[in-house]
Amino acid sequence: MIRGKIRSTKHHNVLPGFGLTMGYTTLYLSILVLLPLSMIFFYTARMGWTEFADTVLDPRVVASYKLSFGASLAAALINVAFGVLLAWVLVRYRFPGKKIIDGLVDLPFALPTAVAGIALTTVYAPNGWIGSLLGFKVAYTPIGVVIALIFIGLPFVVRMVQPVLQNLEKEVEEASSSLGASRLQTFRKVIFPELLPAALAGFTLAFARSLGEYGSVVFIAGNMPFKTEITPLIILTKLEQFDYSGATAIATVMLVTSFLLLLVINLIQWWTNRKFIHG
Amino acid sequence: MVKNALIGIIVALVFYASGCSQGETTSKKGNDSKEAVELLNVSYDPTRELYQEFNKEFAKHWEEETGQKVTIQQSHGGSGKQARSVIDGLEADVVTLALAYDIDEIAAKRGIISEDWQSKLEDNSTPYTSTIVFLVRKGNPKNIQDWDDLIRDDVSVITPNPKTSGGARWNYLAAWSYADKTFNGDEKKIKGYMRDLFKNVEVLDSGARDATNSFVQRGLGDVLIAWENEAYLSINELGKDEFEIVNPTLSILAEPPVAVVDKIAEKKGTAKVAKAYLEYLYTETGQKIAAENYYRPRDPEVLKEYADKFADIELVTVDDAFGGWQKAQETHFNDGGTFDEIYAE
């Protein structure tokens, strides 16, 4: 009895104390993430400010930012809409082949990006199955870039939203409709608030992943200057000239911009969490 | 848990260290004993088939000659990317790349190859050459005969991006040379020709192989500007009844050079065998293997033997027409060069 009492006063954790775990986490993150990233800044620091500004504000580079950020944003938004829909179907309904479709969702994770790029280009090229049916060009235009980014971003949204939907109890919806809410109202007031944080997290992941994507995009883009050059390709062209600092300067811009964007999205997430769940 | 992990890490490190030092001692002894030796040849994309064949022959020759077994590891990729790997620490004994500029950069950036590397072997350190030709669809429906046909309104051209592809730089310089000759060096007219040419290019793939795929697999374009050996490979692998080669009246002598990476080979103790490896490319056997793989042999005797493969085209060289690769790279392909001017708004 007494021993039990003593034991309950000392709080037991599965993991060892905070000091050790925090230290370990910091070391691990430093070696794997922070050190390699800091090398980028280290290289960039070799340039002067004017040289840096000239490199990253070159009209051709700016055009590539617009494409990379714009296409990533468009792809992530489309993915949120259709990813939620897909997750909904996979969670709520039973149909033959459901397991297979569920497995297919993860495919973009597993495929080497170059394979995905070549496959998409084959299908959407003017002589491809889909490309030949469409009245407008898809491959070698910004639309092609968006399609490649939708392809690689889809699993993020689906896998984020799925568990939330699974935990949503049907009774809650039944209660809301028995209290006289219309379907739309039920969705807006009951389901949507629950889904929003997960959908936002999926959006963030898909967007961040798309920004740095090279392999699957480079085949379908066509790489025409000012029109369909993505920023990672510009970085590569700098490397081809053995211009390491120029390459890292552009990488720095991408890194800082991505970080700021992710920070903003995370703040929005935190705010929606408070508003809907605790508010 | 942590203790165990630490012990594991320490054990792994000890193993790794002993493995390394062991590896070094065996290769250090490589040349004075009959122990097996390993070479790493860092090359570019279209030489895959050539070196597969050549490595086998050389290993056989070396063992007969010295009694030593040699295995050659190959690495292939875009020429510029391969050069960067060596600069960043890939331990190549020899490099066999698409253009002298890439080897120059290794010499300049890391000092592991001597600055005068190109004079160390015969013929500019280029045992085999190639040139730039056109690949068109069977029957040549658009009747493309020469460079001036490529700027016609009804012709669509496929060529890779000179910013990312070594092969594309040869294509660009070949087109430039033609315009140079046609317009007697009038820079304004040459640039006008280049602009018209790239107006007809709808896709700039990042590598020579990718451009070939766009033309061959996706059915894009009416003409592919390509390495002669790539053009032959396309025909052989995809059927003679789909494509044919058109030889322009003037093209460029593409010289893909080779060099021993002195400092690395010395460190590994492979200097002797690495040098012999490259020299073997110049022997009759080496020259024949090159010709079999559609690279033009330097040896006039061997060239005569394979004369039916290699059309007689007027060829300019980078050194004569462009003042060497360093200058060509700076004038045409670096940021702000003539290629960027084409797309500047």
Side-chain angles (χ1 to χ4, degrees):
Chain A
M1 268 329 281
I2 291 175
R3 262 211 324 239
K5 240 188 184 158
I6 291 169
R7 192 172 296 170
S8 65
T9 52
K10 190 166 182 276
H11 188 66
H12 262 287
N13 262 338
V14 180
L15 285 169
F18 172 76
L20 195 57
T21 46
M22 184 66 194
Y24 188 77
T25 308
T26 316
L27 178 74
Y28 183 81
L29 273 180
S30 302
I31 291 173
L32 281 173
V33 181
L34 295 175
L35 265 178
L37 286 185
S38 65
M39 286 309 292
I40 293 180
F41 291 101
F42 178 75
Y43 259 113
T44 310
R46 297 179 184 184
M47 311 172 95
W49 274 111
T50 43
E51 204 188 338
F52 176 79
D54 283 349
T55 306
V56 301
L57 296 175
D58 176 82
R60 195 162 149 191
V61 181
V62 172
S64 83
Y65 298 145
K66 283 180 189 158
L67 176 69
S68 269
F69 282 96
S72 300
L73 189 70
L77 284 172
I78 294 170
N79 267 330
V80 166
F82 286 93
V84 169
L85 201 66
L86 190 59
W88 180 265
V89 170
L90 284 173
V91 170
R92 282 300 160 95
Y93 301 100
R94 283 201 182 153
F95 52 91
K98 176 174 156 172
K99 279 268 182 292
I100 294 171
I101 291 184
D102 199 35
L104 283 179
V105 170
D106 282 331
L107 211 52
F109 275 155
L111 269 186
T113 50
V115 175
I118 291 170
L120 287 168
T121 311
T122 309
V123 171
Y124 286 101
N127 71 343
W129 296 340
I130 301 179
S132 57
L133 300 176
L134 294 169
F136 53 93
K137 268 182 78 173
V138 174
Y140 319 117
T141 67
I143 304 172
V145 177
V146 173
I147 286 183
L149 296 179
I150 290 174
F151 177 85
I152 55 152
L154 181 71
F156 290 99
V157 180
V158 177
R159 293 297 179 238
M160 275 294 186
V161 172
Q162 239 175 336
V164 178
L165 279 176
Q166 257 150 357
N167 292 337
L168 247 179
E169 280 151 10
K170 269 196 112 79
E171 287 78 4
V172 183
E173 281 168 70
E174 282 160 10
S176 98
S177 65
S178 68
L179 291 168
S182 68
R183 281 181 153 192
L184 190 66
Q185 275 178 314
T186 303
F187 180 77
R188 264 188 41 214
K189 305 260 174 183
V190 179
I191 301 170
F192 182 69
E194 286 284 335
L195 278 188
L196 192 63
L200 264 177
F203 170 85
T204 313
L205 287 173
F207 178 71
R209 175 81 179 75
S210 300
L211 278 180
E213 180 59 28
Y214 176 80
S216 60
V217 180
V218 77
F219 294 98
I220 201 167
N223 311 330
M224 299 307 279
F226 291 103
K227 293 194 193 85
T228 53
E229 272 185 326
I230 52 171
T231 312
L233 179 81
I234 299 261
I235 293 175
L236 204 82
T237 63
K238 299 272 181 213
L239 287 177
E240 279 298 313
Q241 299 165 43
F242 301 96
D243 175 8
Y244 284 71
S245 44
T248 52
I250 298 171
T252 304
V253 171
M254 277 203 102
L255 204 66
V256 172
T257 319
S258 311
F259 179 74
L260 289 175
L261 280 169
L262 295 180
L263 196 69
V264 168
I265 298 172
N266 273 322
L267 282 174
I268 295 173
Q269 237 181 306
W270 172 78
W271 175 77
T272 51
N273 268 343
R274 278 193 29 181
K275 187 167 175 257
F276 284 114
I277 294 169
H278 309 290
Chain B
M1 185 68 221
V2 175
K3 215 191 261 175
N4 280 351
L6 274 178
I7 290 168
I9 290 169
I10 289 164
V11 170
L13 281 175
V14 169
F15 262 100
Y16 176 71
S18 65
C20 275
S21 55
Q22 243 179 356
E24 267 171 38
T25 49
T26 50
S27 56
K28 277 236 168 56
K29 283 192 294 195
N31 266 345
D32 4 299
S33 77
K34 294 287 175 255
E35 271 187 63
V37 62
E38 201 173 86
L39 284 183
L40 173 60
N41 174 2
V42 171
S43 194
Y44 65 114
D45 255 334
T47 54
R48 235 183 223 98
E49 296 79 7
L50 164 72
Y51 279 111
Q52 260 168 5
E53 211 174 315
F54 178 76
N55 291 347
K56 267 200 251 105
E57 285 297 321
F58 175 75
K60 213 163 71 192
H61 157 82
W62 187 250
E63 199 172 358
E64 280 165 13
E65 195 101 320
T66 64
Q68 188 181 36
K69 268 198 181 352
V70 57
T71 44
I72 298 119
Q73 300 290 340
Q74 281 296 135
S75 158
H76 295 276
S79 190
K81 194 178 110 242
Q82 294 292 80
R84 276 202 309 281
S85 305
V86 176
I87 289 171
D88 292 340
L90 181 65
E91 302 231 307
D93 301 275
V94 295
V95 285
T96 52
L97 296 172
L99 28 111
Y101 174 72
D102 287 331
I103 300 185
D104 280 338
E105 285 295 318
I106 300 174
K109 286 242 170 8
R110 261 194 82 195
I112 46 178
I113 299 175
S114 59
E115 297 277 346
D116 62 343
W117 63 271
Q118 204 153 4
S119 59
K120 287 200 172 169
L121 290 159
E122 284 165 61
D123 302 319
N124 255 347
S125 286
T126 314
Y128 44 79
T129 65
S130 190
T131 185
I132 300 301
V133 297
F134 305 154
L135 193 68
V136 296
R137 308 207 178 271
K138 190 75 195 171
N140 199 352
K142 293 267 164 118
N143 191 21
I144 292 160
Q145 302 301 343
D146 205 354
W147 290 101
D148 53 355
D149 290 314
L150 303 192
I151 57 170
R152 284 182 359 218
D153 285 342
D154 62 326
V155 171
S156 159
V157 181
I158 302 290
T159 180
N161 190 340
K163 288 283 207 182
T164 50
S165 155
R169 282 173 224 169
W170 289 113
N171 296 354
Y172 185 96
L173 294 182
W176 184 283
S177 305
Y178 169 83
D180 190 18
K181 188 182 164 192
T182 311
F183 304 117
N184 290 322
D186 181 339
E187 184 120 339
K188 210 167 156 197
K189 283 181 175 162
I190 300 172
K191 283 181 178 171
Y193 171 86
M194 295 307 284
R195 195 166 290 125
D196 291 343
L197 173 64
F198 277 90
K199 251 197 212 114
N200 284 347
V201 177
E202 47 175 328
V203 177
L204 284 169
D205 282 302
S206 54
R209 252 318 135 90
D210 304 334
T212 307
N213 280 339
S214 285
F215 182 76
V216 169
Q217 316 273 12
R218 321 247 175 282
L220 289 172
D222 303 306
V223 53
L224 170 75
I225 311 177
W227 292 98
E228 186 172 44
N229 57 300
E230 277 281 296
Y232 269 112
L233 276 183
S234 309
I235 287 188
N236 287 348
E237 284 178 19
L238 301 144
K240 287 191 168 43
D241 44 3
E242 284 199 59
F243 308 100
E244 51 189 74
I245 290 175
V246 171
N247 294 303
T249 53
L250 177 134
S251 191
I252 195 158
L253 180 73
E255 297 176 294
V258 301
V260 174
V261 187
D262 309 312
K263 292 258 166 66
I264 306 278
E266 273 159 36
K267 195 177 95 181
K268 287 181 166 179
T270 53
K272 212 162 110 195
V273 58
K275 190 161 171 277
Y277 176 75
L278 293 185
E279 279 167 354
Y280 197 63
L281 285 164
Y282 289 88
T283 62
E284 198 185 341
T285 317
Q287 292 287 293
K288 277 188 172 161
I289 293 173
E292 290 288 338
N293 287 282
Y294 307 105
Y295 280 93
R296 295 183 171 220
R298 284 282 195 187
D299 182 336
E301 293 301 310
V302 180
L303 185 59
K304 237 183 250 162
E305 227 175 294
Y306 291 88
D308 58 322
K309 267 188 192 170
F310 304 113
D312 198 10
I313 308 173
E314 186 192 341
L315 300 174
V316 300
T317 67
V318 170
D319 291 342
D320 296 345
F322 297 94
W325 257 111
Q326 287 288 345
K327 197 160 166 251
Q329 175 74 25
E330 209 169 308
T331 313
H332 298 287
F333 308 119
N334 276 355
D335 285 356
T338 63
F339 177 70
D340 280 354
E341 270 178 50
I342 290 175
Y343 287 100
E345 297 186 331

